[in-house]
Amino acid sequence: MFSSFLQKPEGEEPPNESVTAPSPPPLTKEEIRLKRLQKVEETVLTEKTGGNALEIDATQPSSEDTKRNKNGDETSSPLKKSLKISGPQSPIASSTTDAQKSTPKKDPAALEALKIDRDNRALNMNLEFALQLTLRREAAVDSIQYCGHDGITVANSFLNASNISELMCGRLNEQTENAVMYLSGCYKRIVAKESSASPAVQAELAKCRKQIISLLGSCLGVPELFDANSANSVRDLAASLQEDASPVMVTMLKDLIEELNEQGYLPMVMEELATSVYSKLDNNPVAVQPGNPFSIFQGPGANSMRSVLDDFSAALSAVGALVRTDKRVCKELVAQKCFLNSELVAVSRFPNLQHVPPQMRHHPRFIEAAGTRGAAVEHQTLLGRVLRISPEPRDPKLVELFKDTQRTPRNIVEGKIQDLRKRCAQAQTVGVEILMSCLRAGGPAKAGAMQWLVQSLVQNLEVEKDQPSPLLGASSGFMLNLGAVMLQLAHPVIADAEKLKKVDLFYLFANEGKVVFPDDLTKLMPLAYFSSLTSAAGSLPPPAPPAAAASTAEFNFITQSFFLCWRALHLGVVPQCNRYENILRGLNHHHAGLETNDPHAMHYLVLKFGTDAQLLSPDLLQEIVLFCSAASTKLIDTLEPPQHSKNAMDVSTGDVEVNYQDWLCTPEQLTADQKHVLLNLPEHLVDDIMTMLIFVARTDPAILKTASMDSTLSLIVFFLRRPWAIQKPHLRAKFGLTLFHVFLPASARSRGDMWSQNTPVDGPHTNLLSTHIMAQRYMSPGLLLLYGDVERTGFYEKLTNRRCIMVVLKHLWTLPTHRSAFRGIATLQDTFGSSTAPASSSSSGATAEGSGQDYFVRFANGLMNETNALVAATMDKLVEIRKTQLQMQNLPEWGRLSEEERKQITEKHEANEQECRGSAGLCLETLNMLNYLTSDEVIRQPFLHDAILPRFTSTLLNVLQRIVGAKSLELKVDNMESYNFQPKVMLMEICLAMVHFHDSPPFWQAVAKDSFYNNGGPIRKALNIATRFNLITPGEIAHLHALYEQVQQARTSFVDIDSIVADAPFDFMDPILDTLMRDPVRLPTSGNIVDRSTIAQHLLNDNTDPFNRASLNISMVEPVPELKEKIQAWLDQKIAEQQQS
C-alpha cells in the first residue's frame, strides 16, 4: 500500500548534490516535503546510533510467518531491506523455533532470548494498537491497516522505533487523514499502553513517543509537509485541545513545546494557536469595516448576540491546557496582540459616533466592536473574552430560559441557576490558570500578566459611575468574574496571617499604587478637612510619609496581589452588592408581570437570577468574607497597633476599668502614621468592607462563621470613637448597619431583614458584642452619637439607619458588660471643649460642643425627632388605609371605577401598607427605647436637660393624644396587626416612660406647660385604658395617677405667659420662635440675639447659624446679661400686675 514511499524505484540514482547553479530555483512543495522526510530519517538514525533500544531484525522471519510466504521461501524483499535501519544489532533473534520453545529453560542465553522475543512481540502489539498500523497480514483487522505490498512479504516483521517514522509518514502521505489528529491519537494510545508494559518495552515506547512528537512538530512548523493532511495543522491542534484537555494531552503538549522550541517554530505556532483560541471565544465574530460602524449590523448573524449559554467549554479547555504546559508558552502568549492590544484599548475604531443612533451605540454587538478602554479590555483581549462569559440581562436566550418561572418547580429553576454558575466558574478557573501560569513563569510572562491586571482596573474607572457608558467600561459580569479571579490569586495572602503581615499598606501612597488608586479618589480625611478640625492643625504641613512609602519604592507580589484584589472587588463586587436591593425592588414592583412574561418583569427576573448565579456562589462569598477579615486586620493593625490598644480587662471578674471621659478621641491624639493613613486612605476601602459584609449577612449569613470578625469590630469601634475621621455621613451610618446585620444575634433580627431564603444564624461573630473589650467600653456612647448624626443621611435612609442602631443599642442594654458604658456617657460633665471638633466638621456629624453630656442630649433629641416623625407617618398612613378599605368594601362604588383607576388605587394602597409597616414597627422600637433608657436613674438625668425636656414631654403627650384622642377612631383599620400597629403596646410604653418621672418636679412643670397637655385629658384616658386592660401594674398605675395630681397642682400656680407677652417690647422677643427670651445670647457669626434654649435646640439638628448658615456651636454664643436683666425686670412687673388684678 505504501510501497511508493517505502521503496525507491530500482535503478534510480541519487541526485548529484555537489553541483550548484548560480541562482537555484525556489523549492517546490514536493521538494520541501522530501527534505523534511529526509530530516526525519536522519533523526531516527541518530537516535539509533546512540540508543540501547531493542533491535528487531526484519529479515529473520518466524517459522509461522515463513509458512504464510506465497512462494514458500524465505527470501527477503526490497521492502524488508528498506525497513532495516543500520545501528547496533541485537545478538538476540526476534523469534524462536519450535524446538527452542520445547527446550528446557536452563540455558541463560535461551532464557534471555525468550524474554527478548516476548518483549518484541509485546512492543509490536502495543505499537499496532497505538499507530493503527501493522506489518503482519493477520493483524490487519478493524481500524489497523496493513502496510505491506502484494509482491513483498513483510508479514514476519515487527513494529519498533526503527521503522514507525517511515510507516506513519507513508500513511499520512498516501491517505486522506488529519495529520495532527492521527499523530496526537497515536501519542495518547502509546501513553495508555506504557503503564502496563515491561521496562524494556517502556523504553522503546518512549522513543516512539519522541518520534511522534518530532513528526507532529514538523507538521506544525511546515504545514505543507503532508499536503492537505497537514495544511491546517495549527488549527487542528487547537481543535484537538478543545476536544481533549486531559493530563495526557497536557503531557503531549509539554513534549511538543520542547520540540517546537528546538526546531525554532514555537513563536509562529503559538501565534496561530493563540489567534485560533481567541477567535473560538467569540462564536459570532463581528465584521467591522473601518469608518463604517453600520457594517457591524450587516452580514450573517447580524441580529444574534453572544450568550453565556453558548458552549465555550472547548475553547476554555484549550487555553487552559496550553498555559499549563510550559513557561515558554506563557512567554509567547503574552507577546501576542490578542493578549493586550494597547492600541485597541486606547483608541476607538469609530472616533465620531454622533451620527450613530443611541440604541445602536448600546447594542452588544456595537459595544464589542467599537468599545474602548474597559470595554476593549473585555472584548479585545484573550483574558477579557474568557472572563466576559457571564449572564447578560438582555440575552434573548436567558429570557427564554427563565420564561414561565411562576409555573416552573423551584428545583428546576435552581438547576438552571446552578448551570449558569458552573459556566461562570469555569471561566473564572481558566482565568486563574492563565494568570497564575504567567506569573509563575516569571520574566516577560509575569510582567505581561501584571500589565493586563493593572490595565483591567485602570481602564475601568467608568464602572464607578452610577450610569457607566458601556462603550467605555466593561460589563458588570466581566467585573464580577475579575473580582472572583483576584480573590483566588490573593487567597494565599488573605488566608495566611504571616503573609498578611508582609502586606505594605503604604503601597497606596507610592507611585506604583497610585496607578491603580489615583490621587483623585475621595480620601477618608482630605487635608483641608483635617486642617479645619483643630486650630493648631491648620498651620501644620501634612505628616511626612514613612520611609516605606517612598514614591519610588518597589513592592512584593504579596502586596500587589492584595491591593489589586481590593480594587477589583471595589469595581466589580461592591457595585453589584449595592444594586442588589434595587433589583429586588424592581422585581417586586413588576412581579405581577411574570405571569404574562412582561418584558420589564423578565428583565428584572433575568437580572436577579444572573446576579444570583455569579454573586451568590458560596465559594465566592466565603472568599469575600475572608478578604474582609484580612483587610480589617491590616487596617486596624496600622491605625491602632496591638501594643497601643487599651484592650485589657480583668478576665476573672469580667469587669472593665474604664475612664469614660476618654471615649472620644481628638485629632490631636493621632500619631504620625495614623495621620498619614487617614489623610491618604481612599474612602472606598473602608466602605467596601462594610458593604460586602452586609451583603453576605443578608444573603448567606452562615458563611460569616468561616472567618474571624474580631478585627472588623475593632475597626468599627476605632471609627466610632473618632467620628471626625470620616467625612461622609453615609459611610459612618454603615457602621450601624454592619453591627446590626453582621454582629447582632439571630434572635434580635427578623426574617424581613434578609434578601434570600436563608435565615440569620449565630456563630462566633455574634458573641463578639458581649466579649469584645473595646466594644464594651466605647460602642454604646459611639452609637448614641451616631444615632443623631445619621440625620444627615437623608429622610428615607435615616429611618433604616436609626432602626438598626436602636435595635443594636437595645441588645447592648441587655448585656451587663455594656450597662456601665451607657451610664458613663450620660454622666459626663464638661469633658470636651469647642476645640474637639469645630462647627466646620458638622458635615460629618463630628461635633463635641459644650460638654460630654451634650452627646447624649444630641442622641435624645434625635430620638424625639424620630418618634414624632414616625408617629405622624404611621397615623397618616393608617387614615389613608382605612379610607381605601372602606372604598373597596363598597362594592357598587368600587365596581363603577375603571380597571385603570382600581389598579392605581390598589398600587397606592399597597405602597401605603408597606410604608405603614415600616414606620409603625420603628415607632414601637423608639418608644421602647425611651422606656428602657429612662428606667435607669442615672440615664434619666439628661432627659431633664433644659434643651431636651420640653421636646421629651411634647413627644409623650403627642403620642398619647393620637392614640386615645378623638381622632383615634380613624385608626381602626382591618387587620391592624398586619401593619405592626399595636396601640396598646404603644400606650404601655408611654405610660411606663412617664411613670419613671413621677417624682421629678421639673418633669411636672414641663408637662404642665406643654400645649399637648390639654387639661389632662390624654393622661386621664390613658389611666382608664391601662387600668381596664391591665397594661401596667397597680403600683405603676398609682405612680401615674400621682404624676397626674402633681401636674394638675402645678397648673394652678401656672402663670399664663402668653397673655403677658402679648405687648412685650420687640427686643425682648425671640426672632425665631417669637417667644419671650429668658436667657438671651448673641450669635457671633451673624450678630443676632436669640434665646439660648432656641439656638441650643437648633444646634442639636444643624451646627450652623440659622440666619446666614455660618458654622456655629453652642460654646461660641455670647451671653447678653444686660438684656437678660431688663427682660426679667419687665416680666416680674407684668406678673405682679396680673396677680394684683
Side-chain angles (χ1 to χ4, degrees):
M1 183 183 299
F2 305 124
S3 58
S4 61
F5 174 75
L6 297 175
Q7 179 182 3
K8 284 197 283 186
E10 194 170 337
E12 182 178 332
E13 296 296 330
N16 186 0
E17 298 181 359
S18 62
V19 181
T20 58
S23 56
L27 295 176
T28 64
K29 290 178 63 176
E30 178 65 18
E31 289 172 334
I32 293 175
R33 181 180 64 80
L34 291 175
K35 289 178 72 67
R36 282 303 311 156
L37 290 176
Q38 182 180 1
K39 181 176 179 180
V40 170
E41 292 179 1
E42 292 172 355
T43 302
V44 174
L45 289 172
T46 303
E47 292 174 357
K48 286 187 61 62
T49 303
N52 296 317
L54 297 170
E55 179 62 30
I56 302 175
D57 191 348
T59 64
Q60 298 295 327
S62 65
S63 59
E64 184 178 343
D65 292 333
T66 302
K67 295 176 184 179
R68 296 182 59 85
N69 192 306
K70 289 184 179 181
N71 301 322
D73 56 22
E74 299 182 12
T75 57
S76 300
S77 68
L79 177 60
K80 293 179 183 177
K81 293 180 181 180
S82 70
L83 292 176
K84 183 175 181 180
I85 302 175
S86 60
Q89 300 297 315
S90 170
I92 308 299
S94 61
S95 61
T96 59
T97 63
D98 294 338
Q100 287 175 322
K101 291 180 181 179
S102 61
T103 304
K105 300 178 181 179
K106 295 181 181 180
D107 185 1
L111 293 175
E112 183 65 20
L114 287 175
K115 181 178 181 300
I116 294 296
D117 180 70
R118 186 168 59 252
D119 287 344
N120 285 336
R121 292 179 181 278
L123 174 63
N124 179 70
M125 292 180 64
N126 288 335
L127 289 178
E128 286 177 344
F129 166 78
L131 307 182
Q132 305 290 291
L133 297 172
T134 182
L135 294 176
R136 300 180 300 128
R137 287 183 179 275
E138 70 274 15
V141 293
D142 298 329
S143 60
I144 300 178
Q145 299 182 15
Y146 174 62
C147 303
H149 189 272
D150 290 343
I152 302 173
T153 303
V154 292
N156 59 346
S157 298
F158 288 165
L159 298 178
N160 57 44
S162 304
N163 54 25
I164 62 169
S165 291
E166 293 90 338
L167 295 175
M168 288 189 292
C169 288
R171 173 170 176 158
L172 293 174
N173 258 309
E174 299 189 6
Q175 300 290 320
T176 302
E177 188 164 13
N178 187 303
V180 171
M181 296 298 182
Y182 170 70
L183 292 172
S184 60
C186 293
Y187 183 98
K188 288 185 283 188
R189 288 189 290 270
I190 286 180
V191 171
K193 290 294 184 180
E194 274 188 280
S195 59
S196 59
S198 65
V201 175
Q202 286 181 350
E204 193 75 2
L205 289 176
K207 289 185 178 181
C208 295
R209 279 195 292 111
K210 189 172 182 181
Q211 292 185 38
I212 293 173
I213 290 297
S214 179
L215 278 177
L216 192 53
S218 300
C219 287
L220 296 172
V222 186
E224 60 271 19
L225 180 62
F226 297 118
D227 297 327
N229 289 344
S230 59
N232 299 315
S233 55
V234 178
R235 276 181 287 176
D236 293 337
L237 178 61
S240 181
L241 287 174
Q242 293 174 33
E243 294 176 2
D244 180 13
S246 62
V248 175
M249 197 66 175
V250 174
T251 303
M252 187 195 81
L253 278 176
K254 290 181 179 179
D255 295 341
L256 182 58
I257 296 302
E258 186 69 35
E259 179 70 20
L260 289 172
N261 189 59
E262 291 180 2
Q263 295 185 19
Y265 297 137
L266 183 58
M268 177 192 71
V269 172
M270 276 304 306
E271 181 179 2
E272 291 189 47
L273 272 177
T275 303
S276 176
V277 175
Y278 175 78
S279 62
K280 290 292 183 181
L281 288 168
D282 189 358
N283 57 358
N284 187 26
V286 179
V288 182
Q289 297 176 11
N292 180 16
F294 297 95
S295 64
I296 297 171
F297 302 96
Q298 300 169 359
N303 296 323
S304 61
M305 284 179 56
R306 174 181 48 82
S307 173
V308 68
L309 296 178
D310 297 336
D311 187 9
F312 296 106
S313 58
L316 293 175
S317 298
V319 69
L322 272 176
V323 297
R324 288 195 300 269
T325 54
D326 194 277
K327 294 180 179 180
R328 287 166 291 194
V329 171
C330 299
K331 177 183 176 182
E332 296 296 336
L333 184 64
V334 299
Q336 307 305 319
K337 280 190 175 182
C338 66
F339 192 84
L340 182 61
N341 190 334
S342 301
E343 296 178 0
L344 282 177
V345 171
V347 181
S348 172
R349 301 189 196 183
F350 311 108
N352 185 10
L353 298 178
Q354 294 180 354
H355 60 286
V356 180
Q359 62 270 24
M360 288 181 60
R361 282 184 239 165
H362 290 81
H363 193 281
R365 288 177 61 84
F366 188 83
I367 293 170
E368 292 179 16
T372 59
R373 302 183 68 83
V377 171
E378 176 181 5
H379 301 296
Q380 305 299 332
T381 68
L382 178 64
L383 266 168
R385 290 193 170 188
V386 170
L387 297 182
R388 73 179 181 179
I389 299 175
S390 60
E392 164 59 46
R394 292 174 293 179
D395 182 358
K397 292 184 179 180
L398 278 183
V399 175
E400 186 66 27
L401 179 68
F402 290 112
K403 267 187 177 180
D404 302 321
T405 299
Q406 294 291 85
R407 295 180 287 276
T408 305
R410 183 174 182 81
N411 63 323
I412 295 179
V413 176
E414 288 293 336
K416 294 176 180 179
I417 295 175
Q418 286 295 335
D419 178 65
L420 292 179
R421 186 169 295 164
K422 289 178 181 178
R423 293 172 184 267
C424 297
Q426 184 185 18
Q428 295 166 11
T429 300
V430 173
V432 171
E433 284 184 338
I434 295 173
L435 289 169
M436 285 300 298
S437 299
C438 293
L439 292 170
R440 288 169 178 163
K446 180 179 180 180
M450 292 298 296
Q451 183 186 10
W452 187 90
L453 285 174
V454 171
Q455 288 303 309
S456 67
L457 300 175
V458 172
Q459 300 296 340
N460 273 300
L461 298 180
E462 179 74 14
V463 302
E464 288 190 279
K465 299 179 180 179
D466 292 334
Q467 297 293 331
S469 169
L471 288 171
L472 298 177
S475 66
S476 58
F478 168 85
M479 297 306 300
L480 262 177
N481 280 340
L482 178 62
V485 166
M486 288 307 305
L487 279 171
Q488 294 185 55
L489 292 181
H491 179 81
V493 180
I494 62 180
D496 189 329
E498 293 302 317
K499 288 184 179 178
L500 185 63
K501 293 178 181 178
K502 298 178 181 178
V503 173
D504 191 347
L505 188 65
F506 293 98
Y507 168 90
L508 296 168
F509 321 132
N511 289 343
E512 180 181 343
K514 289 181 179 180
V515 174
V516 181
F517 296 87
D519 282 332
D520 58 355
L521 292 178
T522 303
K523 303 299 189 292
L524 275 180
M525 245 183 14
L527 181 59
Y529 168 72
F530 172 74
S531 299
S532 68
L533 292 177
T534 62
S535 57
S539 60
L540 295 176
S551 60
T552 58
E554 295 184 0
F555 299 88
N556 55 33
F557 180 71
I558 290 178
T559 296
Q560 292 170 332
S561 64
F562 183 80
F563 285 106
L564 290 178
C565 178
W566 205 333
R567 186 64 172 162
L569 292 175
H570 171 71
L571 296 176
V573 174
V574 172
Q576 289 301 96
C577 293
N578 289 328
R579 294 177 190 140
Y580 196 76
E581 186 172 10
N582 292 332
I583 294 174
L584 296 179
R585 288 175 180 170
L587 183 59
N588 183 64
H589 180 72
H590 296 283
H591 188 268
L594 294 177
E595 292 288 346
T596 58
N597 295 317
D598 176 74
H600 295 288
M602 291 304 300
H603 170 78
Y604 281 104
L605 183 70
V606 172
L607 194 59
K608 199 266 184 188
F609 286 163
T611 305
D612 288 352
Q614 275 190 284
L615 192 55
L616 295 189
S617 167
D619 293 338
L620 175 60
L621 294 181
Q622 187 168 345
E623 290 296 318
I624 288 174
V625 171
L626 188 62
F627 181 87
C628 290
S629 175
S632 299
T633 299
K634 196 64 204 176
L635 285 178
I636 196 62
D637 286 350
T638 304
L639 290 170
E640 194 166 40
Q643 62 269 24
H644 296 139
S645 175
K646 300 178 181 179
N647 198 18
M649 70 175 291
D650 184 348
V651 180
S652 60
T653 63
D655 294 331
V656 183
E657 293 297 331
V658 181
N659 177 9
Y660 290 104
Q661 302 212 10
D662 68 353
W663 78 270
L664 184 67
C665 299
T666 63
E668 291 86 354
Q669 294 173 319
L670 291 175
T671 65
D673 283 353
Q674 287 176 330
K675 287 180 183 178
H676 185 74
V677 171
L678 293 176
L679 284 168
N680 295 279
L681 190 72
E683 183 181 70
H684 77 73
L685 295 183
V686 178
D687 196 313
D688 294 344
I689 296 173
M690 305 304 152
T691 299
M692 290 188 289
L693 286 178
I694 291 171
F695 179 82
V696 174
R698 302 188 73 174
T699 54
D700 198 349
I703 292 179
L704 293 172
K705 299 190 294 184
T706 62
S708 172
M709 294 287 105
D710 184 272
S711 296
T712 305
L713 188 57
S714 297
L715 187 67
I716 292 174
V717 174
F718 176 87
F719 284 113
L720 287 179
R721 296 183 66 199
R722 299 164 179 83
W724 39 263
I726 294 180
Q727 190 175 15
K728 185 178 178 182
H730 291 83
L731 176 52
R732 296 196 62 234
K734 278 191 178 179
F735 295 143
L737 297 177
T738 306
L739 291 172
F740 175 83
H741 291 291
V742 177
F743 295 98
L744 206 61
S747 58
R749 287 175 285 162
S750 66
R751 179 68 185 79
D753 296 313
M754 300 298 296
W755 286 339
S756 69
Q757 297 298 320
N758 298 317
T759 56
V761 295
D762 289 330
H765 57 291
T766 58
N767 295 327
L768 285 174
L769 289 179
S770 60
T771 60
H772 193 280
I773 309 308
M774 302 301 285
Q776 294 174 16
R777 298 179 181 182
Y778 307 121
M779 180 171 290
S780 297
L783 286 176
L784 293 177
L785 176 60
L786 182 60
Y787 185 91
D789 289 342
V790 297
E791 181 79 25
R792 301 175 179 87
T793 58
F795 177 78
Y796 293 104
E797 289 86 352
K798 75 175 182 180
L799 295 180
T800 300
N801 294 331
R802 282 183 168 167
R803 182 181 74 88
C804 293
I805 294 172
M806 279 193 294
V807 175
V808 175
L809 284 169
K810 182 178 179 179
H811 173 69
L812 297 182
W813 179 263
T814 64
L815 301 176
T817 53
H818 284 263
R819 185 67 63 87
S820 57
F822 279 94
R823 292 172 175 167
I825 187 62
T827 56
L828 288 179
Q829 294 293 334
D830 297 324
T831 304
F832 303 109
S834 60
S835 63
T836 301
S840 60
S841 65
S842 62
S843 60
S844 70
T847 57
E849 55 281 325
S851 69
Q853 194 180 41
D854 285 342
Y855 290 103
F856 193 90
V857 171
R858 178 180 294 277
F859 157 73
N861 178 74
L863 192 59
M864 299 302 105
N865 292 340
E866 194 70 15
T867 303
N868 289 327
L870 290 171
V871 169
T874 301
M875 303 306 176
D876 292 344
K877 294 302 175 185
L878 285 172
V879 171
E880 292 186 29
I881 291 171
R882 176 61 176 167
K883 180 180 177 181
T884 305
Q885 287 178 345
L886 293 175
Q887 184 180 13
M888 290 179 173
Q889 291 169 5
N890 188 341
L891 298 182
E893 179 184 348
W894 183 251
R896 283 193 294 269
L897 298 175
S898 66
E899 183 177 351
E900 183 64 26
E901 290 175 326
R902 288 197 299 267
K903 181 180 178 181
Q904 292 178 356
I905 294 173
T906 302
E907 289 181 351
K908 184 177 180 181
H909 179 63
E910 291 175 351
N912 287 336
E913 288 181 321
Q914 183 175 0
E915 187 173 344
C916 183
R917 290 187 187 98
S919 59
L922 186 53
C923 184
L924 282 177
E925 294 289 348
T926 59
L927 294 176
N928 178 254
M929 177 175 281
L930 284 174
N931 177 21
Y932 72 71
L933 286 178
T934 55
S935 66
D936 187 276
E937 182 179 0
V938 175
I939 300 178
R940 277 201 295 272
Q941 300 310 309
F943 285 91
L944 299 176
H945 193 282
D946 291 340
I948 204 65
L949 182 56
R951 297 292 315 283
F952 180 46
T953 56
S954 292
T955 299
L956 297 178
L957 295 173
N958 178 38
V959 176
L960 276 183
Q961 179 69 28
R962 286 179 174 269
I963 294 175
V964 301
K967 294 186 177 182
S968 61
L969 295 177
E970 299 178 0
L971 307 178
K972 292 186 177 181
V973 299
D974 297 335
N975 301 319
M976 188 177 295
E977 295 77 11
S978 65
Y979 303 115
N980 295 326
F981 181 61
Q982 303 178 47
K984 292 180 182 179
V985 177
M986 296 172 66
L987 180 60
M988 179 190 69
E989 300 287 2
I990 293 296
C991 290
L992 290 176
M994 298 182 73
V995 165
H996 298 152
F997 293 90
H998 74 280
D999 57 351
S1000 173
F1003 186 80
W1004 306 338
Q1005 296 293 332
V1007 172
K1009 297 177 183 178
D1010 200 289
S1011 59
F1012 287 107
Y1013 182 67
N1014 198 15
N1015 294 322
I1019 296 181
R1020 288 196 301 272
K1021 286 188 177 182
L1023 275 168
N1024 293 334
I1025 296 173
T1027 303
R1028 188 192 319 162
F1029 293 100
N1030 296 320
L1031 299 181
I1032 55 180
T1033 66
E1036 291 165 341
I1037 291 177
H1039 287 317
L1040 184 58
H1041 190 273
L1043 172 65
Y1044 170 72
E1045 295 293 339
Q1046 293 291 347
V1047 173
Q1048 285 294 93
Q1049 184 176 354
R1051 295 249 331 156
T1052 60
S1053 59
F1054 179 67
V1055 178
D1056 187 3
I1057 299 295
D1058 291 338
S1059 61
I1060 294 178
V1061 302
D1063 59 344
F1066 178 78
D1067 293 344
F1068 292 1
M1069 302 299 292
D1070 184 279
I1072 296 177
L1073 299 181
D1074 195 30
T1075 57
L1076 185 69
M1077 292 187 289
R1078 295 298 189 90
D1079 185 7
V1081 293
R1082 179 178 287 105
L1083 308 184
T1085 48
S1086 64
N1088 290 285
I1089 297 176
V1090 297
D1091 192 71
R1092 181 182 292 273
S1093 63
T1094 301
I1095 192 61
Q1097 179 63 46
H1098 168 79
L1099 292 176
L1100 288 175
N1101 299 310
D1102 188 357
N1103 284 57
T1104 61
D1105 189 318
F1107 297 97
N1108 59 10
R1109 309 302 298 170
S1111 298
L1112 180 69
N1113 63 52
I1114 195 64
S1115 63
M1116 297 168 62
V1117 300
E1118 303 167 354
V1120 187
E1122 299 85 359
L1123 180 59
K1124 182 178 181 179
E1125 292 177 1
K1126 291 181 181 180
I1127 294 174
Q1128 188 61 46
W1130 178 86
L1131 182 60
D1132 291 343
Q1133 180 184 352
K1134 288 295 182 180
I1135 292 175
E1137 292 175 357
Q1138 187 184 62
Q1139 291 175 346
Q1140 289 176 1
S1141 62

